[in-house]
Structures are given as structure tokens and as C-alpha cells.
Amino acid sequence: MATRIADVVVPNVFSDYIIQNSTEKNALVQSGVMARNAEIEAQLTAGAEQFTVPHWRDLPDTEADIANDDPAQNSTPLKVGSGKQQIRKAFLHQSWSAMNLASELSGSNALTHIQSRVGEYWNRQLQRRLIASLNGILAQNVTGNAGDMLLDISGGTGDAAKFNAKSVIQACATLGDSMRDVLAIGMHSATYAKALQDDLIQTLPDSQGGFIQTFRGLAIVVDDLLPVATGTYTTVLFGPGAVGYGLSNPRVAQGTEIESKPSAGNGGGQEVLHSRLNLAVHPLGYRWLETAVVSESPTLTELADATNWLRVADRKHVPLAFLKHKL
């Protein structure tokens, strides 16, 4: 008899493993781009679809008082401003099934393989929701903030329109004196290949027998979900903690659940592995507006909708920059 998924998976342990796996193996987390946020995770198991996280603004750069010896002249104290970021939760589920007879005939259990890949599936979903959110705030930045987070060289002639080290520096410069804080670069695989061809990427061995690659000292994240339109590519530059995120098991439903259907396959039986996760991915300095959401959680398309986002922080306090270019 084939080993059943119920013999392999302990639901509570497996659910915790998925969350731990997303922290340890996600390239965006490892690079420091995404910061796991305890406040977000605490709110994920509370009621409501979204919640508010307040933040303090920086002290204003008003010129300092000139001290004197006049006892009747008093200084006027300044005040520190505050803002709030509205964060949207997502309540997600996916399931996979296999017929028992198929496992019997193959000599191995299909769901045993499935359970070994569930953590990576959620890793990719987390990254996809991040990139969809980045697409949304970029679109909002162009329409709402005159594109002050974007350098677009794609309309140039010849090499002036192509990805290069100089254009990356210029994109970083949209952050002003915060440009030195940039620590990672996200690029499409075609852009990555171009950077390799141009000898812009440094490859160093790591202690595990693999290698580490950097672009002028920046950690590299390669993802083909980054936008491509008529030969124009979007590359993203990240500062520390540019994106906050949280993951949790559902408060009521089980994070991992195994469903057995003995009558399926005319009695041969079927097993279904259900996986549920609550998560939130939120770019620093933005408020979620819920302008165009149809269901209980935003889809990838809705995360990429500019009307769902509003920037609530000064440009220099949003550690993100975008570069549009040709290859």
C-alpha cells in the first residue's frame, strides 16, 4: 500500500514549517528588501480586512533659533508630524490532490512530492504579491507624484535607452541623500543576462559551495514578473526594509488540512492537501485605499491597480526607485 499523505504531514507542524521556509529561503527576505513585521503578523489573526499602522514623520528642517540674552523673547517649539499606513490583509488558499490508485501504480505517492513543494509555492506567491504591489505604486507614482520615483530612459536613442550602470545610479539619485541606503536591485532575467554580458555582475564563492552575485555591491533579485511592455523593462532598486510583510496561519480554519475522499475513483480513493495562509505585503510609506477590490482579498491584478494606492510619506522616506529601460 502506498504511503498516505496523512502519514507524512502533521498539519500544525507543517503549517509552521511553511512560514519558517518563507523566511529562510525567500531571496527578497534574505537581501533585506522585505522585513518581517511583528505588528502586521499580530493583526493578521484579528478581525477586519485591513488595519492601520501609524508612523512618525522626520523632524522638519527649519533653521535653528539664534540664541540671545533677551528674557522676553521665547522660542516657539516645533512639533513632529505623523501619518498612517493602511495595510490590506489577504486570506489565501490552495489545494492539491492525487488519486490513490495513481500512487499505487507509480510506486510513489504524488502528494508526498506535493507536500515537499508547498513551502516553495507560498514563497513564489509572496514574491508575486510584492511585485504586483510594486507595479501598483509605480503606476500611482506616475499619475499622482509626477513620477519622482522613476527614471525612464526607454525613449532615448540607441545606447542611451539601454540598461547600464550609469542609469542605475541616476535612478538611485531620485532618493536624494538617501541613495546610499540602496542595498538590492530587482531585475527581469533578460536584464540580468544583459548585465552579465556587459560584465556588470560580480560573482563570488560562498561558504556553502555555491556563489553570491552582486551588481556594483547590490544584492540581485531576478524575477520575470517585473513588467515588460513593448521591449521596455522595469528594474527596481530597494533600500532596507522597503517592504514590510507578515505571515500567519488562519485564526479559525486549519492552516494545513488533509481531505480524504474514499468514494472517488469508484472507490479507489483520493486525497487532497489544503493549505491556507493569511499574509500582508506592504511597501513602506503607502496607504492602501481599497478603491477597486471585488472580493474578500485583493488579487494580483488589483494589487497592481494604481487607484488602490496612495503615498503618505515624503519621497526620500520611501526606499524604492524604478528604472525603465531597453536592452
Side-chain angles (χ1 to χ4, degrees):
M1 180 179 177
T3 301
R4 301 184 64 191
I5 192 67
D7 299 324
V8 179
V9 175
V10 179
N12 289 338
V13 174
F14 187 63
S15 295
D16 291 340
Y17 157 76
I18 290 171
I19 293 176
Q20 187 64 25
N21 178 279
S22 297
T23 301
E24 292 180 349
K25 296 187 177 180
N26 190 297
L28 290 164
V29 175
Q30 291 177 337
S31 68
V33 166
M34 297 183 70
R36 197 168 176 183
N37 186 293
E39 178 63 20
I40 290 177
E41 292 195 340
Q43 291 290 339
L44 284 175
T45 54
E49 296 174 336
Q50 51 188 306
F51 57 95
T52 300
V53 175
H55 65 271
W56 293 110
R57 303 188 191 280
D58 201 359
L59 299 181
D61 287 326
T62 305
E63 183 179 358
D65 296 330
I66 304 299
N68 61 44
D69 61 355
D70 183 355
Q73 186 174 0
N74 297 309
S75 67
T76 301
L78 303 176
K79 63 180 181 179
V80 62
S82 65
K84 59 182 179 180
Q85 300 175 69
Q86 198 76 11
I87 299 176
R88 185 57 155 89
K89 304 176 188 177
F91 308 96
L92 306 177
H93 163 270
Q94 191 53 272
S95 62
W96 301 266
S97 71
M99 302 303 295
N100 291 346
L101 182 59
S103 294
E104 291 278 3
L105 294 174
S106 68
S108 63
N109 192 297
L111 276 177
T112 302
H113 170 71
I114 289 171
Q115 65 89 18
S116 72
R117 302 303 301 163
V118 172
E120 288 301 321
Y121 168 81
W122 285 119
N123 258 337
R124 294 193 299 271
Q125 288 298 305
L126 180 63
Q127 190 153 317
R128 278 161 172 72
R129 296 187 78 81
L130 166 63
I131 291 174
S133 299
L134 294 177
N135 292 342
I137 67 171
L138 174 57
Q140 188 279 331
N141 180 249
V142 172
T143 59
N145 301 104
D148 61 358
M149 297 167 61
L150 169 67
L151 174 68
D152 188 351
I153 63 170
S154 62
T157 303
D159 289 344
K162 297 179 180 179
F163 178 86
N164 57 74
K166 180 180 178 181
S167 63
V168 172
I169 294 171
Q170 290 174 319
C172 289
T174 64
L175 279 159
D177 55 12
S178 296
M179 66 181 292
R180 296 176 64 186
D181 296 334
V182 173
L183 52 76
I185 182 169
M187 58 180 69
H188 190 278
S189 63
T191 305
Y192 170 72
K194 175 70 163 56
L196 279 173
Q197 293 167 6
D198 292 345
D199 201 25
L200 297 174
I201 292 178
Q202 183 179 20
T203 302
L204 300 171
D206 67 13
S207 60
Q208 306 300 316
F211 60 88
I212 299 170
Q213 290 186 315
T214 62
F215 177 91
R216 299 180 68 86
L218 303 178
I220 300 171
V221 178
V222 181
D223 198 303
D224 283 346
L225 285 180
L226 287 166
V228 183
T230 61
T232 297
Y233 293 78
T234 299
T235 293
V236 187
L237 294 146
F238 301 92
V243 180
Y245 81 101
L247 300 168
S248 79
N249 294 314
R251 182 170 58 90
V252 177
Q254 294 183 36
T256 300
E257 193 167 357
I258 301 157
E259 179 184 8
S260 181
K261 297 182 177 180
S263 63
N266 202 28
Q270 179 186 29
E271 288 189 294
V272 183
L273 174 65
H274 294 271
S275 183
R276 304 180 183 92
L277 201 63
N278 293 356
L279 66 84
V281 177
H282 192 81
L284 183 65
Y286 275 82
R287 179 187 300 171
W288 176 260
L289 296 180
E290 195 79 4
T291 303
V293 177
V294 175
S295 192
E296 282 71 28
S297 296
T299 63
L300 294 177
T301 300
E302 290 164 346
L303 289 172
D305 189 329
T307 64
N308 282 321
W309 297 99
L310 176 68
R311 195 172 80 194
V312 293
D314 296 336
R315 166 66 192 106
K316 291 199 295 184
H317 297 148
V318 180
L320 288 164
F322 300 88
L323 171 65
K324 285 193 173 184
H325 55 84
K326 304 286 189 180
L327 296 181

